[in-house]
């Protein structure tokens, strides 16, 4: 596995070693020892989640606060998504900056997002199955979010806003500055 740190310290793109032959392929998608050595820290995942969505569905930008903050290791099992992490760590030199990664069943890339980041993704293919590991359990009282189209973040979602399918809850999220007031 190849680990590539992004411009946001602690966020890594993981490129698996894929062994292909006439039968198909094999890859090791997760090995705790390899993973922890690659990112330089210990992370113990406790929960796996999976979602299925249609083209244009945007989920996010979500995060958990305090003792319930979550690190995530995300990947796409079927389809293609634009995955986005936003640094919301107070005092971070890259606070408010984001990184976007194209994840697909074809490229088999994974994306590690540490605690202290908001996360979201947009489905670019007709459908997508999205899978992720979390290092902390979900806690409803600790959930937060930032509106996807915050002009300060200036995220290029590669879709026209009127073509996006967004939950009512995600449409009501605050911008970064408003969200910061409740941390």
């Amino acid at each position: 596995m190849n680990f590539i740190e992004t411009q946001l310290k602690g966020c890594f793109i993981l490129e698996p070693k894929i062994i292909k032959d006439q039968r198909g392929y094999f890859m090791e998608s997760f090995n705790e020892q390899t993973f922890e050595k690659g990112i330089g820290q210990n992370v113990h995942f406790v929960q796996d989640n999976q979602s299925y969505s249609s083209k244009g569905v945007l989920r996010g930008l979500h995060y958990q606060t305090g003792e319930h903050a979550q690190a995530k290791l995300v990947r796409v099992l079927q389809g293609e998504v634009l995955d986005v992490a936003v640094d919301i760590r107070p005092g971070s030199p890259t606070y408010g900056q984001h990184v976007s990664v194209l994840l697909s069943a074809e490229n088999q890339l994974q994306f590690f997002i540490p605690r202290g980041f908001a996360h979201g993704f947009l489905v670019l293919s007709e459908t997508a199955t999205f899978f992720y590991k979390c290092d902390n359990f979900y806690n409803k009282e600790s959930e937060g979010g930032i509106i996807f189209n915050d002009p300060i973040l200036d995220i290029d979602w590669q879709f026209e806003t009127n073509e996006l399918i967004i939950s009512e809850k995600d449409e009501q999220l605050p911008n970064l500055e408003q969200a910061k007031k409740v941390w």
Side-chain angles (χ1 to χ4, degrees), residues 140-153:
K140 185 169 179 52
E141 290 74 37
S142 299
E143 71 179 350
I146 300 166
I147 191 74
F148 74 97
N149 60 354
D150 184 336
I152 292 171
L153 300 179

Side-chain angles (χ1 to χ4, degrees), residues 13 27 45 50 63-64 72 82 84-85 93 124 128 136 151 169:
I13 298 169
M27 70 175 216
F45 293 110
Q50 187 169 316
Y63 58 87
Q64 296 261 132
K72 297 176 182 176
L82 180 68
V84 176
L124 302 175
N136 208 348
K169 179 179 171 183

Side-chain angles (χ1 to χ4, degrees), residues 13-142:
I13 298 169
L14 287 66
E15 292 178 328
K17 291 182 181 169
I18 301 172
I19 302 165
K20 296 181 181 181
D21 64 21
Q22 71 276 10
R23 299 169 297 166
Y25 73 87
F26 170 83
M27 70 175 216
E28 185 175 82
S29 62
F30 181 77
N31 175 305
E32 185 176 61
Q33 291 176 338
T34 303
F35 177 76
E36 289 179 353
K37 183 179 177 186
I39 66 165
Q41 60 179 301
N42 294 340
V43 178
H44 178 70
F45 293 110
V46 298
Q47 182 175 323
D48 286 350
N49 298 317
Q50 187 169 316
S51 68
Y52 176 83
S53 304
S54 301
K55 186 174 190 171
V57 169
L58 191 151
R59 296 180 185 264
L61 299 157
H62 303 143
Y63 58 87
Q64 296 261 132
T65 60
E67 68 184 87
H68 299 287
Q70 293 179 322
K72 297 176 182 176
L73 178 61
V74 304
R75 68 190 191 118
V76 171
L77 302 176
Q78 174 271 316
E80 181 177 74
V81 307
L82 180 68
D83 200 79
V84 176
V86 178
D87 187 347
I88 59 171
R89 299 172 294 184
S92 169
T94 56
Y95 175 83
Q97 295 180 29
H98 70 277
V99 64
S100 300
V101 180
L102 185 67
L103 303 177
S104 71
E106 186 176 320
N107 70 21
Q108 295 288 349
L109 295 177
Q110 296 183 61
F111 188 32
F112 175 68
I113 304 148
R115 293 180 180 195
F117 285 76
H119 172 254
F121 68 91
L122 171 67
V123 177
L124 302 175
S125 53
E126 288 306 311
T127 61
T129 304
F130 189 81
F131 177 85
Y132 59 106
K133 296 178 166 304
C134 299
D135 78 333
N136 208 348
F137 297 105
Y138 170 77
N139 180 276
K140 185 169 179 52
E141 290 74 37
S142 299

